[in-house]
Amino acid sequence: MRVDELVSMGGVAPPPLESPLTSEKLNEVRDLYEQVYAVGLEAFFETKWYMGSQGLHALASNTGGVNETVAGFLQSMAKTDANDVAGMQYSANLEFRVVWDLACLVKASEAKVNGGDTLPAPDDGSEAQNRVAVFEVLLSGEFLDHNPLMRVPSQGDYHRIREFRFWYYLAEFLRIKDQPNVDMTLQREHILGLVRELLDGRENRDVLYSFAVIRTLSPKFPPDFESTLSPHLDELDPKSKLAVARKFIQDESQVTGGTTNVVRRFSEIAVRAFILPGGNIQRMQG
């Protein structure tokens, strides 16, 4: 299932707006975008595009679509009492759509693979768009035919070099396709090892790395594998590693978990993809 399908699993549609989108409502949408979602998206995808002029222009240009969705979300939240369980659940499901549609604003950028000896600007739309594409492939359970992310030059700002390497290797991981009668475990472990060395204590990278671990290891174990775990988890044991990654992502998806709405919703989408119901996991037979 693609991310758009995972987002739609809640079965909710944005409510019809009670009145047309006025300039006042559009300002409310922009305020929410700037104060909550753009901040979270920039932290997650490590870009300055969403808060920059390009991101704000993309939002303003999308006068229907995403603006109506966000306005409907605001309308729903304003009418929902905190004790209304069904209403709060509806708004929560609607926020999946809000976060993903706002993330996809960057798809309006030029589609290209950056090259050269210097890193692109922090607000480069093409690199941000390609990171969103890699994220979508990661959660969908699909693979990449080629790496759309920039091959990292040898010189540049130390922290940005590590950032670009992290994303590049994450995309390389998604190029390792299953082959008939060939065990790709060692190749995947090698690339995941490179990814892990670049986490640098960043929440988004921890989350993305955990997505990759869950996607890789889940097919090897039954859904109820946690019932057979040893009381003392061994970090080198694949089953233990999977249990730790699953627990981390499940915790991140909670209200008290991820530090931003974006992290929480993306983590919950991953739960849908890889844990419950886990439709993007094809378990090994035998």
Side-chain angles (χ1 to χ4, degrees), residues 266-280:
F266 281 168
S267 295
E268 198 164 351
I269 292 172
V271 170
R272 291 180 176 184
F274 300 141
I275 301 176
L276 187 68
N280 286 351

Side-chain angles (χ1 to χ4, degrees), residues 142-210:
E142 298 175 353
F143 297 92
L144 290 170
D145 292 324
H146 67 278
N147 192 329
L149 299 180
M150 182 178 184
R151 183 178 289 276
V152 186
S154 57
Q155 295 185 338
D157 177 81
Y158 173 79
H159 295 290
R160 292 198 73 212
I161 287 286
R162 290 183 65 81
E163 168 200 324
F164 275 73
R165 281 182 179 156
F166 170 85
W167 284 95
Y168 181 82
Y169 286 135
L170 182 65
E172 283 293 288
F173 163 77
L174 295 172
R175 294 183 61 210
I176 305 174
K177 299 181 181 180
D178 295 317
Q179 304 289 340
N181 303 315
V182 178
D183 187 352
M184 308 303 290
T185 299
L186 290 180
Q187 291 93 320
R188 290 196 174 105
E189 287 182 349
H190 172 67
I191 295 295
L192 282 178
L194 296 175
V195 171
R196 185 179 183 183
E197 290 175 1
L198 296 162
L199 298 181
D200 293 348
R202 291 189 60 95
E203 181 183 34
N204 68 309
R205 297 185 200 174
D206 286 339
V207 166
L208 288 161
Y209 170 73
S210 296

